[in-house]
Amino acid sequence: MTTTGGVQTRWLTFTLHLILAAVAMKQSLATVTPPSTEAPHKEPSKPETGHYQVTGTNGTVCLLAYMGLQLNISFSSTSLNQTVQDLVNIEPNTTKVSGSCDTDSAMLRISDADKTNLTFVFTLNTTSNKYHVSEISLSAAWPDMKEPFMARNSSLDYLRGTLGFSYMCHEEQTLNVVQALSIKTFHLQVQPFGLTKNQFGTAEHCRLDEDDMLIAIVVGVALAGLVLIVLVAYLIGRRRSHAGYQTI
C-alpha cells in the first residue's frame, strides 16, 4: 500500500520541477536579445541616466527627458588607419543642454566637451494628438577621427506618445539613425509636449516593457496554480489517510 507521505513527496517533487521550469522560462524569455552582426570596438558599462529639460520662452519646462544614452558609431580611425565601430556613453555630468519648443515641434540638443552634439527633434500631429521623434542628428570631432563625423535622419518614427502623456521604456531599445550610427536608450522617460507643473504626465509604456510585464504575470499565474495543486494534493492525501485508518 502506498503511504500518504510517499504521495505527498512525489507531488512536492513534481511541483518543484514545474516551478524551476517556469522560472527558467521567464529568465530565458527576458534575456533574449537579437544577434549582433558586428563586434564593437569596446564595450563600456551601461550609461548613467541623465536628466534633461528644455525651458520655453515663458520660463516653464516644455520638454523633459530622463534617459541613459549610448552611441554605437562607426568612423575612420587615425591610429588604426581603418574603420572601427565604437560604443560611447553620453556622460550626463559633462553635458550641456539646449533646445526649443514650438506648438508642433520640440528640440533637445545634448552637447559635451568632446565636441559631440546629439540632437532629437520631436513632432506633434495636432490632428491625432500623437508625438514622436522625427529626426536625430549627431556631429562629433574626436581626437582619433580622421575627419569630423556627421549623421542625420529626418524621417524617423521613434518614441511615439500621446499629448499630455509621457513615453516610458525601462528596457534597452535601439534607435537606428543611419548605417554608421545607432543609439541605445536605457531607463527612458520623455515628454516633449503638454507638461503640467514641470512634471511628467501619466506614463505610456513601450512594447518591450509590456512584454516583460506580461511574462511576469504569466509566471505569477503559473506559480499560483502550482501552489493550488500542492494544496489540493495535500488535502486529498490527508483525506485518504483518515479513510485508511477507519478501514483498519
Side-chain angles (χ1 to χ4, degrees):
M1 181 177 66
T2 303
T3 64
T4 302
V7 173
Q8 293 178 356
T9 299
R10 286 198 296 273
W11 270 109
L12 289 173
T13 302
F14 174 72
T15 302
L16 178 60
H17 284 302
L18 288 179
I19 291 174
L20 292 176
V23 173
M25 177 187 70
K26 180 180 184 298
Q27 292 176 343
S28 62
L29 290 175
T31 56
V32 169
T33 55
S36 175
T37 58
E38 184 177 0
H41 183 60
K42 64 178 181 179
E43 295 186 6
S45 58
K46 289 185 178 181
E48 295 183 12
T49 300
H51 293 187
Y52 310 106
Q53 66 180 40
V54 176
T55 302
T57 54
N58 60 357
T60 61
V61 176
C62 59
L63 187 154
L64 196 59
Y66 294 174
M67 54 187 173
L69 296 169
Q70 185 179 83
L71 306 178
N72 188 336
I73 181 172
S74 298
F75 61 90
S76 297
S77 169
T78 301
S79 59
L80 298 177
N81 197 30
Q82 64 180 11
T83 299
V84 298
Q85 184 183 11
D86 212 351
L87 295 180
V88 178
N89 290 340
I90 298 294
E91 301 294 341
N93 295 332
T94 63
T95 60
K96 295 182 179 180
V97 178
S98 60
S100 61
C101 298
D102 293 321
T103 303
D104 57 359
S105 67
M107 181 187 68
L108 170 66
R109 175 172 289 124
I110 302 172
S111 307
D112 64 18
D114 293 330
K115 297 182 180 179
T116 303
N117 296 284
L118 176 62
T119 303
F120 296 89
V121 176
F122 295 83
T123 299
L124 173 66
N125 185 322
T126 55
T127 302
S128 64
N129 285 334
K130 296 287 186 178
Y131 62 81
H132 66 282
V133 169
S134 58
E135 178 180 322
I136 297 177
S137 61
L138 175 74
S139 64
W142 301 342
D144 195 37
M145 289 180 170
K146 283 187 176 181
E147 56 187 16
F149 178 92
M150 297 188 67
R152 177 175 175 265
N153 190 332
S154 58
S155 58
L156 301 176
D157 188 7
Y158 292 125
L159 315 185
R160 180 173 287 274
T162 305
L163 177 64
F165 293 80
S166 62
Y167 174 91
M168 178 179 287
C169 198
H170 289 298
E171 295 293 324
E172 172 188 333
Q173 61 178 331
T174 300
L175 312 181
N176 294 307
V177 182
V178 295
Q179 185 175 1
L181 173 67
S182 63
I183 302 171
K184 288 185 178 181
T185 67
F186 301 79
H187 304 293
L188 178 145
Q189 186 172 11
V190 63
Q191 185 174 345
F193 304 98
L195 284 98
T196 302
K197 297 181 179 180
N198 299 341
Q199 295 180 347
F200 285 119
T202 302
E204 295 179 333
H205 288 269
C206 66
R207 180 65 180 271
L208 293 172
D209 284 356
E210 291 176 351
D211 290 344
D212 191 56
M213 288 186 289
L214 179 61
I215 292 172
I217 292 172
V218 170
V219 173
V221 171
L223 293 178
L226 293 176
V227 171
L228 181 60
I229 290 173
V230 172
L231 180 60
V232 171
Y234 173 74
L235 294 176
I236 292 175
R238 288 196 59 184
R239 185 173 181 181
R240 288 180 177 177
S241 176
H242 287 306
Y245 292 146
Q246 292 173 1
T247 301
I248 294 174

